[in-house]
Amino acid sequence: MKHVNVRKDFPILNLEENGKKLIYFDNAATSQKPETVLRAMDSYYRVANANINRGAHFLADKANNAYCEARKKVADFIGAERKEEIVFTKNATEAINLVAETYGRYFLRPGDAVLLSKMEHHSNLIPWLKLAAEKKLEIRYLNTDKSGRLCWKNWPDLIRDGKIKLLALTAISNVLGVKNDLNLIREKAGDIGAALLLDASQWAPHFPVDVKEWDVDFLVFTGHKMCGPTGIGVLYGKRNHLEAMPVFLGGGGMVGEVGPNGFTAAAIPEKFEAGTPPIAEAVGLAAAVDYLTALGWDKIRVTEEKSAALLLRELKKLPFLKIFGAAEAPDRLALVSFAMDGVHPHDIAELLSNEGICVRSGAHCAHPLMEELQVGATTRASLYFYNTETEIYTFIEILSKIHHRFH
Amino acid sequence: MDIYAANILDHYKNPRNQGELPDPGVRIKVINPSCGDQMTVDFLIADGEVKDMKFQGNGCAISQAAISILSEEVIGRPLAEIDSIDKKAMFAMLGVPISERRSKCALMAVLALKNAVKKFRGQPEIGWLEVLA
């Protein structure tokens, strides 16, 4: 598949609102979907739809094959050796809750500590706060440095009492867009024999994932941020962990034997997939994997690095803007949070929206980070490989007009 | 739909009655759940009317304009008249179309006002559901 013009692959990019062309700069919230993903899901429902597992007919075989194939594709996509190490969930949030409620609940003891960071999205914070309250665990935090990365300055103090048993950290902050040093994270976890969960929600759409090379215990990401549909997330877990963990949700599909007084769990990964799973969504995610793979990481990286460099360069020219995080491309996605002198993020977003430009304003489900940055909210522009230089220049022009309007 | 009319921007850039009262009878804090913006509003209520009012907080142009405009409307008016100020009245005072997305921005001021009167009368405070209705 040769991609000359990726924009024509995405039908929604032709949208116009009030005579303004859509400029979609909210990709960290969710990405747009290529035609092939839409067709794959539509086609599934037209020619292959049945319930999976233990179906007794040819149509169930088709559904089963589609679902299994999707699992295998996702495993290959992230470098997992075994497809049984891929659990499909509703989203990354559910995947983290799954780990907290099973691995966390079963293997962590009162007095143990979990290490998070101040830059975590609430989805990698709340499940641990919840668990900590119930199991009398301690939550400790890495701070954020000026470049927008994890700060390891306090590490020696944090590990001194030997209580940290699990690190749950984001590969890239959804507010700051800067790559964390994954090798360093892995090294630190290894130094103290702690388990490691990586939140790759903002990483997986933009950079290749390799769970084998990274040697992570758990990794989560979500389909809808990487050209896939909503309603499908992925938990990768090392086989020995998944096999040792107790079940999460109970119901059909995740059991072995069932009697009136008890049950045995199915083998992994079905053990963690209770009820009818999001089959069409898994098919959609597989199609998204196909699309990104065909496009090629080289092409995606070259395009995105150019975007990030241009976006940052042009934003830095505006004296009335403050940019959070100091890193430059290629360590930084074309994902930038900023503040404008004298103009509230909501007003910026509203006026950009009037011009067809979609950004996000608010706390981005990252209250501890907002507190660290000493702001209540920021405006965030987050680009993907289908955004163009022209869109960036238009965005910059409108930002100047907005500032002018308020001064 | 551009809601940043001249009056909105004027009140945002030159807010009336910004600050705090040295000895407020009632102090109300309002948080906008859609964005986390906070506003603290001081009221001096006596002789059956709002004698004075001041507000503080960082908010968007809509929320700041709303409280500024409302303060001009309300200072010197008897409580009985203020009771009738609701969502419809606030939107009319703003004079620009307020989308559902920005409703709470426009209504922080009304929530503060209603709860100030409730508190003054020793009545239980209301929440967003009542203001948005």
Side-chain angles (χ1 to χ4, degrees):
Chain A
M1 214 197 303
K2 191 172 172 217
H3 288 260
V4 177
N5 172 9
V6 294
R7 286 182 71 83
K8 65 170 170 36
D9 296 337
F10 294 81
I12 201 171
L13 295 180
N14 295 320
L15 206 66
E16 272 191 23
E17 179 77 6
N18 291 327
K20 307 284 179 184
K21 281 178 147 171
L22 170 67
I23 294 180
Y24 187 74
F25 279 6
D26 198 15
N27 290 282
T30 198
S31 64
Q32 300 304 343
K33 321 302 171 196
E35 189 69 51
T36 51
V37 166
L38 305 175
R39 270 198 240 123
M41 294 176 70
D42 185 67
S43 167
Y44 167 77
Y45 278 124
R46 285 180 196 280
V47 304
N49 179 55
N51 209 328
I52 59 159
N53 290 338
R54 292 182 300 283
H57 49 80
F58 70 92
L59 199 55
D61 288 345
K62 287 192 187 214
N64 228 11
N65 288 340
Y67 191 65
C68 285
E69 191 54 38
R71 197 191 300 281
K72 178 109 206 347
K73 278 219 165 108
V74 169
D76 290 343
F77 186 63
I78 66 170
E81 281 185 323
R82 300 173 202 86
K83 58 178 167 48
E84 306 83 72
E85 293 179 317
I86 302 296
V87 176
F88 282 134
T89 61
K90 185 173 73 196
N91 48 30
T93 302
E94 186 175 278
I96 297 175
N97 275 275
L98 193 164
V99 176
E101 289 300 316
T102 61
Y103 182 89
R105 191 173 284 285
Y106 198 65
F107 290 104
L108 299 179
R109 302 263 169 275
D112 284 348
V114 175
L115 182 69
L116 307 177
S117 80
K118 293 276 175 71
M119 68 166 72
E120 298 309 314
H121 186 283
H122 291 168
S123 293
N124 193 30
L125 169 59
I126 308 305
W128 306 111
L129 290 177
K130 232 169 105 252
L131 186 72
E134 290 166 33
K135 283 212 64 162
K136 308 219 181 329
L137 307 173
E138 201 193 315
I139 305 294
R140 297 180 183 174
Y141 296 91
L142 292 175
N143 294 323
T144 308
D145 72 18
K146 288 266 177 322
S147 76
R149 293 183 181 87
L150 297 172
C151 174
W152 295 91
K153 219 167 56 161
N154 298 341
W155 176 250
D157 296 325
L158 291 166
I159 62 170
R160 189 157 291 124
D161 60 5
K163 290 198 175 151
I164 296 177
K165 298 290 182 285
L166 170 68
L167 276 62
L169 298 168
T170 183
I172 299 180
S173 155
N174 67 308
V175 174
L176 301 168
V178 181
K179 284 168 89 171
N180 282 319
D181 185 340
L182 300 187
N183 289 327
L184 189 60
I185 294 174
R186 175 68 256 170
E187 188 191 302
K188 298 289 192 195
D191 284 349
I192 61 168
L196 172 61
L197 179 146
L198 263 187
D199 177 4
S201 300
Q202 297 294 341
W203 179 288
H206 304 280
F207 301 99
V209 172
D210 192 335
V211 292
K212 189 161 175 229
E213 194 191 300
W214 297 347
D215 194 27
V216 287
D217 296 285
F218 301 103
L219 182 134
V220 307
F221 62 100
T222 191
H224 72 90
K225 293 196 205 282
M226 49 172 276
C227 297
T230 50
I232 184 99
V234 176
L235 166 65
Y236 160 82
K238 279 186 174 164
R239 181 171 63 173
N240 57 314
H241 288 320
L242 295 182
E243 282 173 348
M245 280 149 60
V247 301
F248 181 43
L249 298 175
M254 47 66 69
V255 284
E257 291 173 15
V258 187
N261 299 310
F263 68 95
T264 59
I268 61 165
E270 282 80 15
K271 176 179 164 187
F272 294 110
E273 296 185 359
T276 300
I279 309 168
E281 286 73 11
V283 168
L285 177 56
V289 165
D290 283 341
Y291 182 84
L292 293 175
T293 306
L295 195 56
W297 285 116
D298 287 344
K299 177 158 181 175
I300 293 173
R301 287 317 321 138
V302 162
T303 308
E304 293 210 312
E305 274 169 37
K306 274 200 204 140
S307 278
L310 178 64
L311 180 66
L312 281 162
R313 190 187 80 206
E314 291 302 310
L315 285 172
K316 281 178 182 170
K317 284 183 187 165
L318 304 177
F320 48 79
L321 284 193
K322 175 184 171 162
I323 295 169
F324 295 99
E328 302 285 333
D331 283 343
R332 184 175 188 140
L333 292 178
L335 185 166
V336 185
S337 280
F338 59 90
M340 184 186 287
D341 283 345
V343 192
H344 192 280
H346 284 93
D347 298 317
I348 300 172
E350 176 99 29
L351 287 167
L352 285 169
S353 174
N354 288 350
E355 299 299 316
I357 304 173
C358 299
V359 298
R360 184 152 289 237
S361 78
H364 313 289
C365 297
H367 289 170
L369 182 57
M370 292 296 117
E371 216 181 281
E372 258 194 324
L373 298 175
Q374 295 178 312
V375 290
T378 73
T379 307
R380 177 191 69 190
S382 51
L383 279 59
Y384 208 6
F385 59 84
Y386 41 64
N387 292 116
T388 67
E389 281 190 13
T390 310
E391 289 181 322
I392 293 174
Y393 284 119
T394 305
F395 172 60
I396 297 294
E397 188 193 321
I398 303 296
L399 283 178
S400 294
K401 287 191 174 148
I402 292 171
H403 182 255
H404 186 73
R405 194 121 184 245
F406 277 78
H407 288 83
Chain B
M1 205 165 296
D2 196 319
I3 58 176
Y4 297 94
N7 68 321
I8 302 290
L9 289 179
D10 176 35
H11 277 272
Y12 179 65
K13 291 182 202 173
N14 310 297
R16 298 21 162 188
N17 300 303
Q18 194 176 46
E20 52 182 299
L21 289 176
D23 197 12
V26 179
R27 171 166 283 174
I28 298 286
K29 191 169 170 186
V30 182
I31 296 177
N32 185 339
S34 32
C35 65
D37 279 349
Q38 298 182 24
M39 186 185 283
T40 303
V41 193
D42 293 346
F43 293 85
L44 185 60
I45 303 174
D47 308 325
E49 66 177 45
V50 174
K51 294 283 191 201
D52 202 358
M53 181 180 151
K54 291 248 186 282
F55 69 91
Q56 292 185 89
N58 296 315
C60 65
I62 298 301
S63 69
Q64 301 300 286
I67 188 75
S68 175
I69 290 169
L70 189 69
S71 71
E72 287 195 313
E73 272 295 313
V74 146
I75 291 175
R77 294 252 310 266
L79 289 187
E81 283 178 30
I82 288 166
D83 282 339
S84 64
I85 295 177
D86 60 1
K87 174 176 158 186
K88 206 167 153 199
M90 187 73 247
F91 285 12
M93 279 183 243
L94 286 167
V96 291
I98 302 290
S99 65
E100 204 185 310
R101 197 167 18 100
R102 303 302 291 277
S103 290
K104 294 201 179 92
C105 306
L107 295 173
M108 284 176 85
V110 174
L111 187 59
L113 178 68
K114 292 235 176 269
N115 281 333
V117 174
K118 292 269 179 200
K119 200 167 171 183
F120 177 77
R121 287 174 176 157
Q123 293 167 350
E125 292 180 22
I126 61 167
W128 279 105
L129 281 178
E130 287 107 318
V131 170
L132 289 164

